[in-house]
Amino acid sequence: MSSDNVLEKTTRVNLLFDFYGPLLTEKQQTFLTCYFLDDLSLGEIAAEFGISRQAVYEHIRRAEATLEGYEEKLGLAADHERRTAILADLKTAVDTWKPDERDSYFRKKALACIEQLEQIEG
């Protein structure tokens, strides 16, 4: 796995963990924290908890699958990413708006962004 893929996976798991971490078992939370947040190796975690590297790997793999399952059902992380993108668009529109312009581009763009945010929030 390339370093870009590893970074993407780590970022994804951390994002999902932020949203769904409390729904995991204590052991899953601990192993994910050690592996993805504290950057410990499987061997280091195994030594710390007195289990095999394979057991640590399986716990982490199952926890990742659980997080992805929650995301498939609830979509909180996807909604967060959509809101973040919409807010970035809104910020760009505000930053580039010139008060002396008489057209309604800014107003239309801002209202569209706000409407999108309201739809996401349900």
Side-chain angles (χ1 to χ4, degrees), residues 12-69:
R12 172 85 175 156
V13 171
N14 284 331
L15 177 65
L16 295 178
F17 189 73
D18 285 345
F19 284 99
Y20 307 113
L23 302 175
L24 298 174
T25 66
E26 189 174 322
K27 187 179 283 189
Q28 288 173 325
Q29 290 179 36
T30 300
F31 287 164
L32 285 181
T33 298
C34 289
Y35 190 71
F36 287 104
L37 298 176
D38 299 339
D39 201 27
L40 297 178
S41 70
L42 295 176
E44 291 169 324
I45 299 167
E48 176 77 23
F49 292 94
I51 60 175
S52 70
R53 290 177 70 240
Q54 183 64 32
V56 173
Y57 173 78
E58 289 298 322
H59 281 293
I60 292 171
R61 188 182 60 75
R62 274 188 245 121
E64 288 178 59
T66 300
L67 290 174
E68 289 292 348

Side-chain angles (χ1 to χ4, degrees), residues 2-3 12 19 21-22 25 33 37-38 41 47 60 65 68 78 82 84 88 95 101 111 113 117 121:
S2 74
S3 62
R12 172 85 175 156
F19 284 99
T25 66
T33 298
L37 298 176
D38 299 339
S41 70
I60 292 171
E68 289 292 348
R82 287 176 37 214
T84 300
D95 288 345
E101 292 179 353
L111 290 174
C113 290
L117 287 172
E121 294 302 318

Side-chain angles (χ1 to χ4, degrees), residues 66-77:
T66 300
L67 290 174
E68 289 292 348
Y70 289 141
E71 177 59 15
E72 284 178 29
K73 290 177 179 84
L74 301 172
L76 299 177

Side-chain angles (χ1 to χ4, degrees), residues 77-93:
D79 287 348
H80 168 74
E81 290 173 338
R82 287 176 37 214
R83 278 192 302 274
T84 300
I86 293 166
L87 287 171
D89 285 349
L90 184 56
K91 183 176 181 342
T92 299

